Amino acid sequence: MAHIDMRQFICRSDNFGLLIHDHVSGATAAIDAPDANAIESELRKFGRQLTHIFVTHHHADHVEGILQLKELFGCKVIGPKAEAGKIPGLDIAMGGGEKFTWAKRQVEVWDCPGHTAGHIAFHIPDELSVFAGDTLFSVGCGRVIEGTMEQMWQSVNQFKKLPAHTYLYCGHEYTMANCRFALTLDPDNWRLQARMNEVEKLRAEDKMTCPVTMGDEFKTNPYLRLDDLAIRNTLGMAEATDLQVFTEIRTRKNNFK
Ligand code: ZN
Ligand code: FE
């Protein structure tokens, strides 16, 4: 739809702040609340009132600003049912498969356990946008902290069903480090090389590398390319299952410097 406006900015050190504004209803939603002051000043710049916060998971760098923003704006907080006790100021708890309407658009909620046990993602098909929090990053995925590798693999897999022209919005500006690591697995992938060049240029100019289309991710993100023979050969895992390949890649990333 033509009436939406997305404002993304970096806050804390590498978190993305993100505001979605609907010109028709005047509704404005923040995706997570990493930093109340940064979000407030972005709202003030455009004379907007915050009406909603969509929370992906309970980590401090995603929830710390909630109570201050609620006090300032009286906004409604929508977040993960399975982490309800850990989300300050939560008003509406949602789980995977549930849908709600925001500014006349349908918002789908996906369960994405792995990074945290109750992590959720939000998908707005009408806006060709998915908000992945710390589950899927550009050219990477989140660290598996509370869940199992199998859960994270399944969580990441859900993104494969999205149309290629869907925009991926994620929780952190980690793309440069992710590209550097992905190139160790997939060195001859020219699209990944091109993404690395683009990302280096953007970061040198202090610009953000997201959002990115899922179509680009399908061609560059190793966690979405587990069946790729070049990657499997680099790992010496031509015959392994997708879950084994996922686990190996995610484990290598943990130890990558
Ligand atoms: Zn997190
Ligand atoms: Fe985070």
Side-chain angles (χ1 to χ4, degrees):
M1 282 187 223
H3 302 294
I4 206 135
D5 177 22
M6 307 268 196
R7 298 256 160 218
Q8 187 182 249
F9 48 95
I10 300 273
C11 50
R12 301 178 79 104
S13 61
D14 52 32
N15 281 77
F16 286 120
L18 179 62
L19 293 167
I20 330 174
H21 175 72
D22 171 56
H23 294 299
V24 175
S25 65
T28 305
I31 306 298
D32 287 328
D35 179 335
N37 293 333
I39 292 169
E40 187 197 353
S41 79
E42 196 68 19
L43 287 158
R44 302 280 185 223
K45 251 191 246 174
F46 300 94
R48 286 172 189 168
Q49 298 289 317
L50 191 66
T51 56
H52 300 84
I53 305 175
F54 299 167
V55 182
T56 61
H57 67 294
H58 71 82
H59 282 159
D61 62 315
H62 298 256
V63 304
E64 228 160 60
I66 294 176
L67 291 179
Q68 192 181 324
L69 290 167
K70 238 184 133 167
E71 201 163 304
L72 278 166
F73 297 103
C75 51
K76 283 258 171 300
V77 180
I78 301 168
K81 200 178 267 177
E83 296 181 357
K86 295 178 176 174
I87 312 288
L90 184 69
D91 295 300
I92 304 165
M94 304 284 298
E98 293 190 272
K99 293 180 167 87
F100 63 96
T101 301
W102 177 80
K104 296 199 169 149
R105 291 156 181 83
Q106 199 166 76
V107 184
E108 298 171 0
V109 177
W110 298 359
D111 277 330
C112 295
H115 179 69
T116 62
H119 193 300
I120 57 173
F122 299 91
H123 177 216
I124 309 185
D126 284 343
E127 299 303 334
L128 301 171
S129 297
V130 70
F131 307 96
D134 288 0
T135 296
L136 188 68
F137 297 124
S138 180
V139 198
C141 78
R143 202 176 265 274
V144 180
I145 300 173
E146 294 176 9
T148 64
M149 286 287 184
E150 183 165 9
Q151 284 177 323
M152 192 64 167
W153 166 62
Q154 277 165 356
S155 294
V156 166
N157 251 339
Q158 297 176 90
F159 291 81
K160 282 174 135 178
K161 68 181 182 221
L162 289 168
H165 48 283
T166 304
Y167 283 97
L168 168 68
Y169 289 88
C170 52
H172 292 267
E173 177 60 74
Y174 287 162
T175 318
M176 174 92 96
N178 288 341
C179 283
R180 219 178 270 138
F181 171 69
L183 279 166
T184 67
L185 309 167
D186 202 8
D188 301 323
N189 178 347
W190 68 268
R191 287 195 170 92
L192 181 57
Q193 295 163 359
R195 178 71 169 140
M196 179 57 141
N197 290 338
E198 178 193 37
V199 166
E200 277 178 334
K201 192 160 175 273
L202 286 168
R203 296 310 293 148
E205 294 169 4
D206 226 10
K207 290 180 180 153
M208 295 173 282
T209 65
C210 294
V212 59
T213 67
M214 285 307 303
D216 287 337
E217 290 300 303
F218 295 148
K219 291 165 184 158
T220 56
N221 191 321
Y223 302 95
L224 299 170
R225 296 166 50 73
L226 303 172
D227 56 352
D228 183 80
L229 207 56
I231 294 177
R232 284 171 163 259
N233 284 334
T234 307
L235 297 169
M237 298 182 78
E239 308 294 322
T241 64
D242 282 4
L243 173 58
Q244 287 168 330
V245 175
F246 181 92
T247 303
E248 177 63 21
I249 295 175
R250 188 54 255 187
T251 305
R252 283 189 186 212
K253 176 65 167 65
N254 291 344
N255 304 316
F256 181 73
K257 283 178 187 76

